[in-house]
Amino acid sequence: MSLLIKNGEIITADSRYVADIFCENETITRIDRKIAPPKGADVVDAKGKFVFPGFIDPHVHIYLPFMGTFSKDDYVTGSQAALIGGTTTLIEMCCPAKSDDALASFELWMSQAVGKSACDFSFHMGVTRFDAKTEKQLRTIVKRGISSFKIFLAYQGAFGVDDTELYRTLKLAKELGVIVAAHCENETLVSERCKELLVAGKTDPGQHHESRPPAVEAEGVHHLLTFAELTGAAIYIVHLSCQEALNQAVAARQRGVRVSIETLIQYLTLDKTYAEKPQFEGAKYVMSPPLRDQRNQEILWNGLRDGLVQTVATDHAPFDFRKQKQMGKIDFTKIPNGIPSLEDRINLLYTYGVKKGKIDLHTLVNVASTQVAKTFDLFPRKGTIQPGADADLVVYDPNYRGKISVKTQHMNVDYSAFEGWKIEGRPSLVTVRGQVAVRDGKFVGKRGHGKFLQRKPSHF
Ligand code: URP
Ligand code: ZN
Ligand code: ZN
């Protein structure tokens, strides 16, 4: 099996040039100005198009039992939507309930993906309890190819860990060279404020962001990074949403704490007024941390441009509006949290980031692919275009014009938070390890082609 992509403009995190790319079996084997088509090769003309390394979403939820329901995608629909949007690798949060066994949960999450996913995948192993048995199992899970843990300071009683568990998890992570991804919000402040708002009769979706203002997230970041400072563990802050939290992370970095920062496409493009929409429409925009004041968008775009913020993810967590979001009709604290966007991340980053002059093409590749691969021990197999790398490629058509709509999306959810938004470009061809998975917006790949990516810890 061989594939030749001709005349495309190759864009990596640090280079830009026109060349042909030859892929044999699963790997890029040659890049040259002109490559004559070998016999039997599938030839694609990419003239006038960009060729990006396959994008990696470092924070998704596909199988997610949460707030009394389950998120809507599975690996069949989720991986196809990801690929259509140019994402060729997913790193999913494996989120056991507190009472669940870590190893059994890891197996369960794995069984959801194997044989179904059309794109490659790995997991961040959620540590929702820390005791002797869990510690032993975490060591086994790391040996099985997981090099990142996930902890929640929020959602006490469900996924959240207490400070003793946090300290011990970070110590283990440091010993094993595992990086710890963390949801940072002070749970006590959230739950007290929720109670106060409900008692005052404030029950609508617009109250969600009142219950968890920027100081709640900033305190979570500061709290976690104090523990990181004392244990030496490497930290990856997930879904950072605002200036106050960013200030805390940057201050810790200046003290020598090893911290990477992820923001989300939602925080770069939406603001809290969406969650204030009338007739319960705001529920579509409820997620945690919440959407913020618009002024934060500029700060986050600048953070990406200047290297303060390392990655852009989706935190894809799809819950239907018609049924699931209605669970919070009379109490905003019961609205399942999440804004689906797995399919839209790259087109939004390109249209509202690159085309608007907020970031350049190299930054787009860096924050949505290269840095993710480097942080999570996948580089240079993933995250770049070079001989020896996996042939995960996105031929991107900058002349495409279209609109996002629930009517045309592939994510299995009954609304789009970006309904009617214009996009100025889309992937015209996507490959996963040399196999074509998408042509002109249509999935043409194979269910089950996706592989579990074994990762080796490097954050000692
Ligand atoms: O609102 C969100 N972010 N939902 C998914 C769960 C999480 O906190 O990552
Ligand atoms: Zn979270
Ligand atoms: Zn999440």
Side-chain angles (χ1 to χ4, degrees):
M1 192 177 74
S2 63
L3 171 72
L4 179 63
I5 298 179
K6 288 192 72 64
N7 307 314
E9 190 172 5
I10 297 172
I11 312 281
T12 69
D14 52 15
S15 62
R16 177 173 189 162
Y17 56 103
V18 174
D20 298 349
I21 305 172
F22 187 54
C23 313
E24 288 171 283
N25 301 316
E26 302 198 334
T27 310
I28 298 170
T29 53
R30 203 177 143 203
I31 303 174
D32 234 317
R33 183 63 198 90
K34 285 276 168 235
I35 301 176
K39 218 170 142 214
D42 184 3
V43 182
V44 172
D45 186 11
K47 194 170 169 53
K49 297 180 177 143
F50 301 126
V51 186
F52 297 127
F55 292 102
I56 308 169
D57 195 331
H59 183 170
V60 301
H61 302 272
I62 303 294
Y63 174 69
L64 178 63
F66 186 48
M67 296 181 79
T69 185
F70 288 84
S71 59
K72 281 297 303 291
D73 273 310
D74 62 13
Y75 265 92
V76 174
T77 57
S79 66
Q80 292 186 15
L83 285 163
I84 287 166
T87 294
T88 54
T89 297
L90 299 177
I91 312 184
E92 195 197 359
M93 301 294 172
C94 170
C95 295
K98 244 186 176 349
S99 54
D100 289 346
D101 192 73
L103 198 51
S105 301
F106 173 63
E107 306 282 8
L108 172 63
W109 258 261
M110 184 76 99
S111 74
Q112 300 293 317
V114 173
K116 291 196 195 119
S117 186
C119 66
D120 287 352
F121 57 91
S122 182
F123 303 98
H124 303 293
M125 186 61 217
V127 181
T128 50
R129 185 180 75 218
F130 194 92
D131 51 24
K133 184 175 170 206
T134 308
E135 178 182 340
K136 195 159 170 252
Q137 295 191 343
L138 289 171
R139 289 178 186 276
T140 305
I141 291 166
V142 171
K143 284 197 190 110
R144 299 257 310 259
I146 295 296
S147 66
S148 47
F149 294 158
K150 167 72 186 288
I151 51 158
F152 294 87
L153 302 192
Y155 312 131
Q156 293 293 343
F159 303 135
V161 287
D162 65 27
D163 280 352
T164 307
E165 293 171 311
L166 173 61
Y167 186 70
R168 291 180 183 171
T169 303
L170 296 197
K171 281 192 72 160
L172 179 67
K174 168 70 181 158
E175 180 199 325
L176 299 177
V178 161
I179 188 165
V180 180
H183 176 137
C184 298
E185 286 184 298
N186 181 304
E187 177 63 26
T188 309
L189 290 173
V190 171
S191 63
E192 287 303 304
R193 289 177 69 86
C194 283
K195 279 183 222 150
E196 285 166 9
L197 287 162
L198 293 176
V199 165
K202 297 181 173 175
T203 60
D204 60 287
Q207 303 306 320
H208 180 69
H209 52 74
E210 300 298 338
S211 72
R212 41 221 309 158
V216 166
E217 187 181 347
E219 197 285 332
V221 169
H222 176 74
H223 191 87
L224 171 73
L225 295 182
T226 303
F227 282 63
E229 194 171 354
L230 295 177
T231 55
I235 301 293
Y236 178 82
I237 294 177
V238 298
H239 51 39
L240 183 131
S241 71
C242 60
Q243 179 172 28
E244 290 82 346
L246 181 60
N247 289 347
Q248 291 298 333
V250 170
R253 201 178 267 157
Q254 285 167 349
R255 300 196 299 275
V257 178
R258 295 188 296 163
V259 54
S260 298
I261 300 168
E262 166 197 282
T263 191
L264 303 182
I265 192 63
Q266 295 91 326
Y267 301 135
L268 291 163
T269 53
L270 302 168
D271 64 62
K272 70 181 191 186
T273 60
Y274 285 85
E276 292 165 355
K277 284 183 171 216
Q279 261 102 47
F280 200 61
E281 278 282 300
K284 293 176 178 172
Y285 299 91
V286 166
M287 66 178 300
S288 297
L291 297 177
R292 302 296 190 189
D293 285 335
Q294 200 178 18
R295 68 177 176 85
N296 288 286
Q297 292 177 5
E298 212 58 28
I299 285 155
L300 295 172
W301 283 115
N302 293 342
L304 291 170
R305 193 194 58 203
D306 298 342
L308 291 183
V309 178
Q310 279 64 52
T311 62
V312 177
T314 62
D315 193 7
H316 180 65
F319 295 101
D320 274 343
F321 179 64
R322 269 190 296 273
K323 272 211 171 135
Q324 293 170 300
K325 292 275 184 183
Q326 305 298 322
M327 290 161 65
K329 188 86 197 194
I330 54 164
D331 174 352
F332 72 91
T333 66
K334 304 233 161 25
I335 300 169
N337 286 200
I339 304 180
S341 53
L342 181 53
E343 190 168 344
D344 305 315
R345 177 181 62 138
I346 301 307
N347 293 336
L348 289 169
L349 267 177
Y350 181 72
T351 305
Y352 297 93
V354 176
K355 293 285 286 184
K356 295 247 184 269
K358 295 182 190 301
I359 55 170
D360 63 17
L361 282 169
H362 302 295
T363 305
L364 166 73
V365 170
N366 200 31
V367 301
S369 180
T370 312
Q371 275 306 320
V372 181
K374 287 183 174 170
T375 306
F376 294 114
D377 308 306
L378 291 168
F379 190 85
R381 177 176 178 191
K382 307 286 189 192
T384 193
I385 299 178
Q386 66 182 44
D390 280 359
D392 295 353
L393 297 165
V394 176
V395 177
Y396 198 83
D397 181 1
N399 294 314
Y400 177 83
R401 295 291 177 269
K403 277 188 181 165
I404 296 175
S405 174
V406 66
K407 295 196 194 94
T408 47
Q409 76 187 8
H410 300 82
M411 299 176 289
N412 183 31
V413 61
D414 69 358
Y415 76 98
S416 169
F418 303 97
E419 187 65 42
W421 285 39
K422 283 192 193 126
I423 50 165
E424 301 187 2
R426 75 163 184 191
S428 59
L429 184 109
V430 179
T431 68
V432 180
R433 283 176 286 101
Q435 193 175 98
V436 177
V438 174
R439 276 186 206 269
D440 298 322
K442 289 203 174 48
F443 176 73
V444 296
K446 247 204 236 138
R447 176 183 172 145
H449 175 68
K451 260 192 193 164
F452 170 62
L453 301 170
Q454 294 225 343
R455 300 184 287 128
K456 251 176 115 170
S458 64
H459 297 274
F460 291 98

